[in-house]
Amino acid sequence: MEDNQSTLSSFIVKLTLMLKDATAYPYISWSHSGESIVVTDPTAFAIKVLPRYFKHGNFASFVRQLNLYGFHKTSQEATACEFTNPLFRRGDEHLLKAIRRKVPKDPQDKELFNVACESERLMKDFADLRSKYEKLESALQQKEAEKQMIVNELMQSKQRQEVGEEGGSVSS
């Protein structure tokens, strides 16, 4: 999936990551058949998992996103909800790039859709920039630590040299 991430929507990428996240497993997982996803305890899922992947903890918003990407609710029990999309199956990651957000038919909705798509693209760009910034920040901190270590070694070397010179002039 790594090669396809640039062509996948951020929602599908995040959904896939959630399903691979062992800490999310008690709340979201593949069905036994691998042809649907199951959200157990939607309330806990909204509190404990959604905020780690999205800017919200709203289960209804998550379901709306699933619907926009062609997922359909196949069952709803008091403690679990199951969703399916024929292109979203365990082990068939090559199909993910075919999952697209539904395009609205109303011109006003199309404008909102275009704004949402642009917003999603900008958020992805922002996340990419943040990741690059964090890597650069880490590299800078490492270089600062290396520089400090070299300065300390130079200072110690200079002190040893001065002590050596003082010791040499005393014996003359």
Side-chain angles (χ1 to χ4, degrees):
M1 186 177 90
E2 307 304 323
D3 298 335
N4 292 332
Q5 280 194 358
S6 61
T7 60
L8 297 177
S9 79
S10 63
F11 178 77
I12 297 299
V13 170
K14 290 174 184 179
L15 182 58
T16 304
L17 291 173
M18 267 192 259
L19 288 162
K20 291 180 179 181
D21 181 354
T23 62
Y25 180 76
Y27 311 103
I28 185 169
S29 62
W30 288 104
S31 65
H32 294 295
S33 68
E35 294 181 357
S36 60
I37 58 173
V38 179
V39 176
T40 52
D41 193 357
T43 303
F45 171 75
I47 294 168
K48 296 180 179 182
V49 179
L50 284 180
R52 289 188 287 164
Y53 292 91
F54 302 101
K55 291 181 180 179
H56 65 81
N58 187 330
F59 185 67
S61 293
F62 176 73
V63 171
R64 244 187 322 275
Q65 284 292 306
L66 286 171
N67 292 330
L68 280 172
Y69 284 93
F71 286 80
H72 301 285
K73 192 180 289 185
T74 56
S75 74
Q76 180 174 0
E77 300 169 11
T79 58
C81 298
E82 188 172 354
F83 302 91
T84 186
N85 179 320
L87 298 172
F88 196 85
R89 298 188 313 232
R90 182 177 46 217
D92 287 340
E93 292 182 349
H94 64 281
L95 297 174
L96 296 179
K97 61 186 169 201
I99 299 175
R100 297 281 179 239
R101 195 170 180 172
K102 291 180 184 175
V103 179
K105 294 176 180 29
D106 182 354
Q108 190 174 17
D109 288 343
K110 281 185 181 179
E111 181 62 29
L112 288 173
F113 175 76
N114 290 337
V115 168
C117 288
E118 180 66 10
S119 175
E120 187 173 315
R121 186 191 64 76
L122 289 171
M123 292 303 293
K124 185 178 184 308
D125 289 350
F126 178 75
D128 291 344
L129 287 172
R130 176 176 281 174
S131 174
K132 289 176 184 175
Y133 170 79
E134 289 170 354
K135 288 177 184 173
L136 286 171
E137 186 72 25
S138 175
L140 178 63
Q141 288 175 354
Q142 182 180 356
K143 294 298 179 191
E144 287 289 334
E146 290 172 3
K147 180 185 102 176
Q148 189 60 46
M149 202 167 69
I150 291 169
V151 167
N152 290 343
E153 288 175 5
L154 283 172
M155 295 297 286
Q156 290 173 355
S157 176
K158 183 177 179 184
Q159 287 174 347
R160 284 192 301 268
Q161 184 179 12
E162 288 173 354
V163 167
E165 288 175 359
E166 288 175 9
S169 62
V170 172
S171 61
S172 302

